[in-house]
């Protein structure tokens, strides 16, 4: 084998190695990082980093690992007729570095958790009481929707637009689990019409007039 062939073989081998690393390591890095210790109960801090500062383990006790915030219904006396009570790392510090969180969803009859996304998590919803019409839209703009009854599960893939609507005549209760300590939430109506996106952009995007845009902005400006 001459030098040119040897260099070509080494180059091909290196390219295969790079592709292998990309396919095996990068997906792992795309999720919440694995913990490097038994636990890392978060503490209040003004330091900004990708995650939360750990408490001194010697000050941690059993009460740090219990959360009592999901036992009480949230108030559904609002325009949406719904309430979401999160148990993310910000509310439940013991979740820090563990890669999961939960939330309680309460619905009055006709109540809606509006169109939204979780940019950092897949969500699994368990319907404990009532009847919900739920669904998500994929990147091909296909709707996947179902009417759930008590005891049913539904999954909302990471980052995809989704919603939950109480179509029953009685209040509904659901519990969600998410595979991130801080899944994030972006409410689509608020993001579009409650931010500083220019009227010109919204008029063009939705093929509507300036007055219609301003009317929508007035509903979501707060």
């Amino acid at each position: 084998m001459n030098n040119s062939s040897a260099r070509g073989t080494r180059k091909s081998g290196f390219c295969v190695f790079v592709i292998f690393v990309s396919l095996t390591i990068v997906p792992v890095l795309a999720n919440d990082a694995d913990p490097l210790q038994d636990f890392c109960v978060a503490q209040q801090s003004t330091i900004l980093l990708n995650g939360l500062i750990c408490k001194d383990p010697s000050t941690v006790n059993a009460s740090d690992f219990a959360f009592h915030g999901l036992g009480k219904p949230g108030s559904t006396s609002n325009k949406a007729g719904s309430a979401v009570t999160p148990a993310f790392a910000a509310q439940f510090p013991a979740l820090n570095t563990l890669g999961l969180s939960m939330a309680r969803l309460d619905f009055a009859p006709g109540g809606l958790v509006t169109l939204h996304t979780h940019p950092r998590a897949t969500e699994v919803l368990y319907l404990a009481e009532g009847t919900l019409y739920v669904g998500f839209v994929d990147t091909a703009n296909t709707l996947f929707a179902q009417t759930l009854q008590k005891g049913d599960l539904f999954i909302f893939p990471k980052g995809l637009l989704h919603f939950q609507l109480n179509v029953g005549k009685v209040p509904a209760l659901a519990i969600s689990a998410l595979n991130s300590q801080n899944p994030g939430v972006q409410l689509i109506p608020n993001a579009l019409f409650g931010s500083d996106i220019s009227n010109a952009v919204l008029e063009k995007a939705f093929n509507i007039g300036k007055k219609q845009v301003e009317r929508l902005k007035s509903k979501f400006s707060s």
Side-chain angles (χ1 to χ4, degrees), residues 29-184:
L29 296 178
N31 298 310
D32 283 6
D34 287 334
L36 299 177
Q37 60 277 316
D38 290 343
F39 52 80
C40 176
V41 176
Q43 68 174 354
Q44 295 294 324
S45 174
T46 58
I47 298 174
L48 300 179
L49 45 76
N50 191 26
L52 299 169
I53 298 293
C54 302
K55 286 177 67 173
D56 182 340
S58 67
T59 68
V60 173
N61 56 53
S63 65
D64 287 307
F65 298 97
F67 182 74
H68 307 288
L70 299 187
K72 183 184 296 185
S75 174
T76 58
S77 299
N78 52 62
K79 290 182 180 180
S82 66
V84 178
T85 305
F88 302 164
Q91 295 81 29
F92 189 10
L95 293 176
N96 190 38
T97 75
L98 298 184
L100 76 161
S101 58
M102 299 188 74
R104 172 180 177 137
L105 288 69
D106 289 285
F107 302 83
L112 170 72
V113 173
T114 193
L115 298 163
H116 65 284
T117 67
H118 300 296
R120 294 180 289 277
T122 292
E123 175 182 359
V124 180
L125 179 143
Y126 169 72
L127 183 56
E129 297 288 346
T131 305
L132 290 182
Y133 176 65
V134 305
F136 67 86
V137 178
D138 71 5
T139 55
N141 294 327
T142 301
L143 172 66
F144 296 85
Q146 285 273 294
T147 298
L148 304 183
Q149 305 295 335
K150 180 179 178 179
D152 289 344
L153 294 173
F154 197 84
I155 192 163
F156 305 99
K158 178 180 179 180
L160 294 185
L161 184 71
H162 61 283
F163 61 88
Q164 298 98 13
L165 172 69
N166 184 1
V167 292
K169 296 181 179 180
V170 298
L173 167 64
I175 301 294
S176 287
L178 304 102
N179 66 339
S180 171
Q181 70 175 48
N182 181 25

